[in-house]
Amino acid sequence: MSAEATSPGARSRRRGRTSIDLRRLGRAALLGPASRDRLPDAIGHVADAHRAHHPDADLLVLGKAYVLAEMSHRGQFRKSGEPYITHPLAVTLILAELGAETTTLTASLLHDTVEDTDVTLDQVRSEFGDEVCYLVDGVTKLEKVDYGAAAEPETFRKMLVATGNDVRVMSIKLADRLHNMRTLGVMRPEKQARIAKVTHDVLIPLAERLGVQALKTELEDLVFAILQPEEYERTRAVIADRATTGPSLDTIAVDVRRTLREADISAEVLIRPRHFVSVHRARLKRGEMRGTDFGRLLVLVGEDADCYAVLGELHTCFTPVISEFKDFIAAPKYNLYQSLHTAVAGLDGAVVEVLIRTHQMHRVAEAGVVALGNPYTPVDGAEPADGERADPTRPGWLSRLLAWQESATDPDTFWTTLRADLAQDREISVFPADGGMLGLPAGATCVDAAYAQYGDGAHGCIGARVNGRLATLSTVLVDGDTVQLLLAQGPVQAPGGVGGVGGLGDAGGPGGERTGPVAGQAQEAAPGPSPEWLDHARTPAARIAIAGWLAANPESLRVPESEPRAPGAVTAGRRGVANVVVDVPEDATVRLAGCCTPVPPDDVTGFLVRGGAVTVHRAECSAVGRMAALGRSPVAVSWGDEAECRVTLYAESFGRPRLLADLTEAIATAGAAIVSANVEPPSEQRVRHTYTLQLPDAAGLAGLMRAMRDVPGVFDVRRAQHEPAS
């Protein structure tokens, strides 16, 4: 059976409601259904909780679902000896207290019937309709007989895919797991630990992403007690000791109520105790705990504007801790959460955290997607134009998960990747340069953005611009960044051919100006992803796509038999005399510094170096400052009458075939002679060229640099400013 054993005498989760006796409910279930004109007594608590949120709800369908569930589970018992019907009743009550609508409650009453009894999906569909049938099917486990060890990961895959179409599937699963965790005490310790570990790795993150904080916090505490029993007992002792300390939180709450009352702001001020895991984290972070560390103040108001009015009064009448202020109303979290967070200090210096929100925001903060009711109800009876059910609860993280799971055909890969994906606890939004928005987990890089936007087309990504500036693919993105991804032109191929990984692959210009091949030049294949991309990828979609391409192109991982030789300079010729006049003996050797390669009419200065030679530098060269710091006196230098000059230029480019040929052609067309050229090995498909050039006239230098920049794939050309690498 799907549900685990119950622990007799378990306390009700919510205070203020009469404790539910599961044994009494079970006995009532065994007595059979009530008459047709009233609900069975066993679901009275469910009906009361449901009507509290939905006064006009039709409860007859709940009675009908209960009758079917009770009859089908009759004779089945939980491991504690309780009648099995107590489990679906408890799950349904949890959802009813959160405000779930009638369809969800109907499905929760029936959620184990297809899995554990002779009831079929066709029967559920005929009795309760397609929606209830879909929800029941979504939470029904796959049989171990059919799937073996893959049953659990494949069940979660099935459940997540179903959640993509109807988020209420996961709401039922979370409530189901909460009741099972509450009643896990009679299971073997090793089984308790296994279930708690899956809950910690998968279901708690899903509850967080769906915004169901009421379930998430209780699940955290239950898992904490099982997986870290010693820390749990220590935390419980700390909380118990706190009960005898001064009421500092109560005192500040009284002050806040008085302040808001004097400002004529209608607000409800509550003390919200921290749950066990929150206290544990605070204790690890702060060490010694003060009275105000055991809870927060919750201020509930009627309208959004009242939230900011409360904030203004608190920051005026108390000392605010500005670093603790966060506005999740103007910028809601990805899980629907809205609230103002701040912290203020009382007269005694004690700091208390304050949450400010409307009553509706509080309901959504507690129940998340459950508070939305039925998100698929057409507005004014109109169906969506495309015939699909519009789902406002399907956030970016869920869409990404559904996309990459299709590529993770292996259950182990899916299970491992799912846990890693859910371990990401924040989400950022970045904006492609061509419009739209991409939701990515915090820590995502340009590689992740490329695969999120282009899918397998990102194999040909060769660079990016972040906020208008060139960036490597390993650049970590932050919330609000604008990203322009630069893609190669040709089809992606393995590095065994022209333009492979690590080669000079085809590239568009830095602004994406190039839309086709160079005139008269054949279109060549673009490079594919390199193994290093896996180090930069954070999203499962990117990692699976990269790993799949590398597996299909094993030659991309081939290691050369011997280390390649360092690239050597190609020397075309040398001129012996520099076009400068220096105030030194005529036989002194004069040379232009290679670190800055001055040309007329640069402002220059010289220094005597070893061997009696004079090295000429541009006045702004960093070497000039170093020479002066060493106490060397400058030598007066001026330019001679010769028009010719020599200069060293660095060209930065994305790799592509024929890039070197196109650059040398541009240099020759500008009338410059190549004295030497050096091409460094590619790094992340970016290539650096160093050219020492002889120009017939220094006036042509600016035009030469423009011609080199116009070569497709070249994004920067500059004169040498520092000592080039050997």
Side-chain angles (χ1 to χ4, degrees), residues 637-657:
V637 180
S638 60
W639 293 106
D641 297 330
E642 293 185 20
E644 290 190 359
C645 63
R646 182 176 295 183
V647 64
T648 297
L649 299 178
Y650 295 152
E652 303 280 354
S653 70
F654 297 117
R656 68 168 178 84

Side-chain angles (χ1 to χ4, degrees), residues 671-697:
I674 300 177
V675 177
S676 66
N678 182 49
V679 181
E680 298 180 11
S683 175
E684 294 187 351
Q685 299 188 32
R686 297 175 67 174
V687 185
R688 185 183 190 188
H689 306 247
T690 304
Y691 297 98
T692 299
L693 307 174
Q694 192 74 28
L695 278 68
D697 190 336

Side-chain angles (χ1 to χ4, degrees), residues 273-544:
R274 290 181 183 270
H275 63 292
F276 277 54
V277 171
S278 182
V279 172
H280 172 66
R281 291 169 180 162
R283 184 170 61 85
L284 294 179
K285 179 180 178 181
R286 303 172 188 176
E288 184 178 355
M289 299 281 286
R290 302 184 62 174
T292 54
D293 294 332
F294 289 89
R296 299 167 175 166
L297 293 186
L298 174 62
V299 181
L300 299 177
V301 295
E303 304 292 338
D304 290 11
D306 295 336
C307 295
Y308 294 97
V310 170
L311 180 71
E313 289 299 321
L314 293 181
H315 282 195
T316 300
C317 301
F318 297 87
T319 302
V321 181
I322 301 301
S323 61
E324 296 295 321
F325 172 67
K326 298 180 182 67
D327 187 347
F328 294 118
I329 295 179
K333 288 186 178 182
Y334 65 91
N335 62 358
L336 310 177
Y337 179 85
Q338 286 185 288
S339 186
L340 293 179
H341 289 203
T342 189
V344 295
L347 296 178
D348 59 353
V351 176
V352 61
E353 296 180 44
V354 185
L355 311 177
I356 309 168
R357 59 182 72 143
T358 66
H359 291 278
Q360 175 61 20
M361 291 176 189
H362 181 58
R363 183 182 170 212
V364 174
E366 289 293 289
V369 295
V370 180
L372 299 180
N374 183 355
Y376 311 102
T377 301
V379 179
D380 297 329
E383 292 290 343
D386 59 358
E388 297 279 336
R389 289 189 299 177
D391 186 356
T393 69
R394 182 167 172 174
W397 66 266
L398 182 54
S399 296
R400 291 198 310 271
L401 188 153
L402 295 173
W404 68 252
Q405 67 85 24
E406 294 180 355
S407 303
T409 55
D410 177 68
D412 290 337
T413 301
F414 166 76
W415 197 228
T416 302
T417 308
L418 175 65
R419 294 186 179 201
D421 189 15
L422 294 176
Q424 305 286 342
D425 59 354
R426 287 197 308 112
E427 183 163 304
I428 62 172
S429 297
V430 299
F431 302 91
D434 55 357
M437 185 188 76
L438 297 176
L440 298 170
T445 65
C446 292
V447 171
D448 300 303
Y451 282 94
Q453 184 171 3
Y454 297 112
D456 287 346
H459 292 331
C461 190
I462 54 176
R465 285 181 180 271
V466 178
N467 301 324
R469 306 183 69 175
L470 285 162
T472 63
L473 292 177
S474 60
T475 300
V476 176
L477 301 171
V478 298
D479 199 32
D481 277 348
T482 299
V483 182
Q484 179 186 5
L485 299 160
L486 309 177
L487 301 182
Q489 299 298 305
V492 177
Q493 75 165 33
V498 178
V501 174
L504 303 180
D506 189 26
E513 305 91 345
R514 183 179 178 193
T515 58
V518 177
Q521 178 179 314
Q523 181 80 331
E524 307 220 33
S530 69
E532 289 76 16
W533 286 20
L534 289 172
D535 297 331
H536 309 318
R538 297 293 180 269
T539 57
R543 296 187 62 83
I544 291 173

Side-chain angles (χ1 to χ4, degrees), residues 74 119 147 152 289 447 568 725:
R74 185 176 296 180
V119 175
Y147 288 86
E152 185 173 39
M289 299 281 286
V447 171

Side-chain angles (χ1 to χ4, degrees), residues 20-35:
I20 300 171
D21 186 346
L22 293 180
R23 292 184 182 275
R24 182 182 62 79
L25 292 181
R27 286 194 297 271
L30 291 175
L31 293 177
S35 61

